[in-house]
Amino acid sequence: MQTYLLFAAAVIYIICASLPANRAAPISLGTAIGWLLHGAVLSMNIFAADALRLGFAFMLSATLWISVATYWLENRNFPLDSLRVLVLPCAAVSAILPLLFPGQVIPIPGKSVAFSWHIAIAVLAYSTLTIAAFHAILMAVQESRLHQHPLSAKKFFLGAAIDRLPALLTMERLLFRLIAFGFVLLSLTVLSGIVFSEELFGKAFKWDHKTVFTLLSWILFGILLVGHKWRGWRGRMALRFTLTGFTTLLLAYVGTRFVLEVVLHKGFA
């Protein structure tokens, strides 16, 4: 049954991504239904009595699940329909990915509530910064279209949707709002990770790839926010930092877990 629900969610996401922008009501309703199906199966699989099922596929699926919700809510306030074409196909793939890579069940009796909170905050941080990365890609395309010949710009398959985006300055404000919120969540992830690491390993940090990449991403986003505040960084500088920080964060958990689970066939570490 869960397999059918996940495939149904993936199909609904793809259909909603392919519908024309003037079908706003069916797109909104379909996205909500797909999101509910996706979330219900994730909840049934990740959370069990005194245990959590973790792995790169579940982390990626949960991240895209929250990203769909963020897109759906933001699109009601701003015309961000082109974000749909980027987010929903990725969410469709991530929805069925746990069927191929089921991860590992981690018993949690005796662990404090901080462990579960650490996982939840981390997923929220990754999701917020994932939407920021999609947002940055849209801004890069939007900026490039300003320098294109009108005839060549019309041939771009996202051209009409890009043209309906808010002005670049508005998009930039939205981007830094997302990054600032994501940075706060990422900071809480690092702090809660210290608490959890002390409980599990008896020291503040376990210096593995996940820790190094997470801290590097946190530093990059911090530098970007400081540079924007005090040096007026914007435009391509902001986009480069956003995409570099997101790529580093993606490598922090999803990338390292993929290598451990799929390439090296090792368990949770």
Side-chain angles (χ1 to χ4, degrees), residues 18-34:
S18 60
L19 287 174
N22 58 6
R23 305 294 299 276
I27 289 171
S28 180
L29 178 61
T31 301
I33 293 173

Side-chain angles (χ1 to χ4, degrees), residues 12-13 15 19 62 82 85 134 139 154 158 192-193 229 246:
I12 291 171
Y13 282 151
I15 292 173
L19 287 174
S82 49
V85 185
F134 282 125
M139 287 180 62
K154 289 181 180 179
L158 277 178
S192 62
K229 176 70 174 180
F246 169 73

